[in-house]
Amino acid sequence: MHDIKWIRDNPEEFDMALARRGIPSMSAQIIEIDEASRAITTELQELQNRRNEISKQIGFLKSKGEDADHLISAVADLKVRMSRLEEDKKKRVSAGQRVLQEIPNLPFDDVPDGKDEDDNVEVRAVGDKPLFDFVVKDHVDIGENLGLMDFETASNLAGSRFVVTKGLLARMERSLSALMLEIHTEEFGYMEVNPPLLVRDAAVYGTGQLPKFSDDLFKTTTGHWLIPTAEVPLTNLIADKLLSEDELPLRFTAYTPCFRSEAGAAGKDTRGMLRQHQFSKVELVSVVHPDYAVAEHERMTACAEEVLKRLGLHYRVVVLSTGDLGFSARKTYDIEVWLPGQGRYREISSCSNCGDFQARRMNARFRRSDRKGTAFPHTLNGSGLAVGRTLIAVLENYQNSNGSITVPTALRPYMGGLEKIDASGRY
């Protein structure tokens, strides 16, 4: 959500920022709606003052035993007029909110301009691509040849874009999540949370998925939404709260299933586990003082990168262009892991600085220690990491010529010391 006062004071800057995201100027429309609402507020105050004055006159006349019927009638007329104005104001405020709630966040100045993902800019690459002396397979062939990845049965159970993993692959997926959680909680100070997987409208609105992206979500018959990411419940832990400055920063992490309809991805990444309706993810969320949000963004990205370093996976970090930036983000780093089976990098984490955009939507504030009044905290979120995609990366990067998988050293303590997975090792 955007600050209308800031838009009134900086209309050109607002429109220029929207233009960078390919959105036409909207400040004039917003200001017009706001001015009409403010004019009604002024008129209501004037009418209320007039009503108070007349009420005093009525009291005075009645105290003297004189007729006040004409004034009583005037008060009744004012009441009708004020009621109509209140209704008009409510409609205009609602119209303004509808406009504002569908406008994405404004990009930071250092975000590169661009139309789409092709204009993202590489920041750094870490590690080396693995070398193979045999023809590499992708995760689908690897998993199916091991007899531990089953897309056909999943399709019979639930339809397309689902998978059943079994045996040691299921254990590896669980082990990856345990490794991630241990790193983030024990080393980086995130508090582990086990949040609801079903949330109400207000929660999904607060993080920016509603109202614009409802088609990307699954909704139950009870009106609940299945979470598309743990960002939703974790960030909403501060909804409608007044925090003290001493409580900041807050850092949360959670391992959850996530659910997305992938409505806009028809025909995209249909092979394998890359784009599923249900997938697991370890999420990171930070709530910080505005002065420290930029540094927190770098810190969060480094936390996510550390998992890939421990697993010995080659990756790169890119900063998203304005054309690829998410709705609630002001700046986003994508971490892209190298997948030999595809011969390309694929996103495995997306770390975003949302500024005060989400805090405004969920009415979360903190009380400043150095001055009177309250302010909006800044929120950040990132994957630390997408567990299914990390499994894909391990399978493809640690594959052997005989079809087995070498278990990364960092993962072995969570796998009972197991060093390899092959077709004979299904527990």
Side-chain angles (χ1 to χ4, degrees):
M1 187 64 73
H2 297 282
D3 181 1
I4 293 181
K5 182 180 184 303
W6 186 87
I7 296 173
R8 285 200 312 266
D9 295 340
N10 305 274
E12 292 183 3
E13 186 176 346
F14 180 74
D15 287 337
M16 288 175 61
L18 290 183
R20 294 180 63 204
R21 298 197 65 153
I23 298 172
S25 299
M26 300 195 70
S27 64
Q29 178 186 0
I30 293 167
I31 292 171
E32 181 182 0
I33 295 172
D34 183 54
E35 286 181 344
S37 177
R38 288 156 67 87
I40 292 174
T41 298
T42 300
E43 185 176 356
L44 280 168
Q45 290 173 343
E46 292 172 351
L47 291 176
Q48 183 61 50
N49 291 337
R50 175 61 179 154
R51 184 176 173 182
N52 292 341
E53 291 174 3
I54 295 175
S55 294
K56 289 180 182 178
Q57 294 175 26
I58 291 172
F60 177 74
L61 290 177
K62 284 187 174 182
S63 69
K64 295 177 63 177
E66 297 181 12
D67 180 35
D69 288 349
H70 63 294
L71 294 179
I72 293 173
S73 177
V75 167
D77 290 342
L78 284 173
K79 186 176 180 181
V80 171
R81 170 66 177 157
M82 291 175 68
S83 178
R84 290 173 179 167
L85 285 173
E86 289 281 7
E87 188 63 29
D88 190 16
K89 179 183 176 181
K90 189 182 298 183
K91 289 179 181 178
R92 292 178 185 274
V93 169
S94 179
Q97 292 293 315
R98 284 197 299 273
V99 172
L100 283 173
Q101 68 189 10
E102 297 207 13
I103 299 175
N105 209 345
L106 306 182
F108 283 135
D109 292 340
D110 63 347
V111 172
D113 290 336
K115 293 183 179 180
D116 52 36
E117 62 184 14
D118 292 333
D119 297 311
N120 297 343
V121 176
E122 182 175 313
V123 177
R124 58 183 169 272
V126 179
D128 299 312
K129 296 177 183 177
L131 299 176
F132 299 91
D133 58 3
F134 58 90
V135 178
V136 296
K137 298 181 175 65
D138 69 5
H139 69 281
V140 179
D141 289 338
I142 296 168
E144 289 184 335
N145 289 342
L146 289 171
L148 302 177
M149 188 177 290
D150 190 342
F151 292 96
E152 183 178 351
T153 299
S155 180
N156 291 336
L157 290 170
S160 62
R161 296 189 186 271
F162 291 92
V163 65
V164 173
T165 56
K166 297 178 284 188
L168 291 175
L169 285 196
R171 181 170 182 175
M172 178 175 278
E173 190 166 3
R174 170 164 54 89
S175 298
L176 284 167
S177 67
L179 171 66
M180 294 173 193
L181 287 173
E182 184 167 301
I183 290 173
H184 297 315
T185 57
E186 298 298 323
E187 300 182 31
F188 297 132
Y190 287 86
M191 176 185 287
E192 185 174 355
V193 177
N194 185 12
L197 305 182
L198 296 169
V199 294
R200 295 174 173 171
D201 290 0
V204 195
Y205 172 83
T207 46
Q209 284 83 7
L210 287 184
K212 196 167 186 178
F213 302 101
S214 59
D215 288 346
D216 294 329
L217 309 176
F218 285 110
K219 191 172 187 178
T220 71
T221 55
T222 62
H224 290 88
W225 300 89
L226 288 169
I227 62 167
T229 162
E231 170 202 347
V232 176
L234 291 182
T235 311
N236 275 277
L237 291 175
I238 64 165
D240 297 314
K241 299 276 180 69
L242 177 57
L243 306 169
S244 68
E245 189 170 328
D246 292 342
E247 292 179 78
L248 304 178
L250 295 170
R251 297 186 177 108
F252 305 117
T253 185
Y255 166 63
T256 67
C258 304
F259 307 89
R260 296 181 187 174
S261 70
E262 299 293 350
K268 186 177 181 181
D269 295 328
T270 55
R271 178 173 168 81
M273 290 177 60
L274 274 165
R275 196 177 293 274
Q276 300 275 284
H277 289 311
Q278 175 186 319
F279 58 96
S280 57
K281 186 152 68 84
V282 170
E283 185 72 5
L284 305 173
V285 163
S286 295
V287 181
V288 302
H289 188 289
D291 292 349
Y292 305 118
V294 172
E296 184 70 15
H297 193 197
E298 302 297 328
R299 179 190 187 278
M300 175 179 284
T301 305
C303 292
E305 287 182 71
E306 184 60 29
V307 178
L308 292 172
K309 290 178 181 178
R310 300 286 176 90
L311 293 170
L313 295 170
H314 170 60
Y315 68 91
R316 68 179 184 180
V317 178
V318 301
V319 59
L320 300 194
S321 72
T322 53
D324 199 28
L325 202 59
F327 181 81
S328 296
R330 297 204 69 181
K331 183 177 181 178
T332 297
Y333 291 120
D334 268 10
I335 303 173
E336 299 178 341
V337 70
W338 176 252
L339 297 183
Q342 294 193 26
R344 61 180 294 192
Y345 292 97
R346 298 305 298 252
E347 176 200 334
I348 199 167
S349 173
S350 190
C351 298
S352 299
N353 182 349
C354 298
D356 65 2
F357 187 80
Q358 293 178 324
R360 287 181 179 277
R361 292 174 76 96
M362 60 182 64
N363 190 33
R365 294 175 177 268
F366 73 95
R367 194 180 301 281
R368 293 184 178 273
S369 60
D370 59 346
R371 71 191 83 163
K372 291 183 178 180
T374 62
F376 294 102
H378 286 196
T379 61
L380 303 95
N381 63 80
S383 308
L385 304 160
V387 181
R389 291 196 173 195
T390 308
L391 177 65
I392 291 173
V394 169
L395 294 181
E396 295 194 7
N397 281 274
Y398 283 90
Q399 62 181 296
N400 301 307
S401 59
N402 64 358
S404 67
I405 303 298
T406 298
V407 178
T409 303
L411 207 55
R412 291 175 187 176
Y414 304 88
M415 298 280 295
L418 189 69
E419 296 183 3
K420 279 189 179 179
I421 298 175
D422 58 32
S424 64
R426 304 183 190 178
Y427 277 129

